[in-house]
Amino acid sequence: MRLLVRATNGVEETVFRRFVVDNTPPSVAVAGIVNGDELAVNATDLRVDVVDEGGVAEVAYELDGKLIGVVRRAPFSLPWTAGPGAHELRAIATDRAGNKSASDLVVFDVQ
């Protein structure tokens, strides 16, 4: 980008600046749980595999359609105590530029 800057004393200067626009969302997938898994009732960490060239700002976890936590530090895992029943888990990653993407929905049972 080329800018023409005029100071209050009337002196003009041309300034060039380069800007990088990041429109690419992060890649995110639930890790450690796959569709059809049967888990035991206990405390565990929900985990993701997340990658973004410009850096990941946060990962939000939704369980059964409700937000259960947001993690803003790598490795982006969330402590969770599994309750019995059928569950659906999704992770939503946001990069430092504000781009978002969601993982595939993972459906599993806790017994």
Side-chain angles (χ1 to χ4, degrees):
M1 175 180 279
R2 185 179 123 188
L3 303 171
L4 179 61
V5 179
R6 184 174 293 130
T8 56
N9 64 2
V11 175
E12 292 183 355
E13 180 182 355
T14 301
V15 179
F16 293 91
R17 295 289 183 253
R18 182 173 174 241
F19 295 92
V20 177
V21 178
D22 177 0
N23 293 320
T24 305
S27 169
V28 61
V30 173
I33 304 173
V34 297
N35 281 317
D37 268 357
E38 291 185 6
L39 306 177
V41 174
N42 63 10
T44 188
D45 283 339
L46 299 176
R47 298 178 297 115
V48 293
D49 291 324
V50 60
V51 177
D52 186 81
E53 205 170 286
V56 177
E58 68 180 31
V59 174
Y61 287 87
E62 291 181 353
L63 185 71
D64 302 328
K66 295 179 183 172
L67 180 67
I68 61 167
V70 177
V71 183
R72 293 184 175 92
R73 297 179 109 162
F76 302 104
S77 61
L78 180 72
W80 176 62
T81 300
H87 296 289
E88 298 177 338
L89 177 64
R90 180 182 317 269
I92 299 97
T94 305
D95 68 15
R96 290 184 180 153
N99 301 305
K100 292 185 179 193
S101 65
S103 70
D104 290 338
L105 192 65
V106 177
V107 179
F108 61 96
D109 287 314
V110 176
Q111 300 185 7

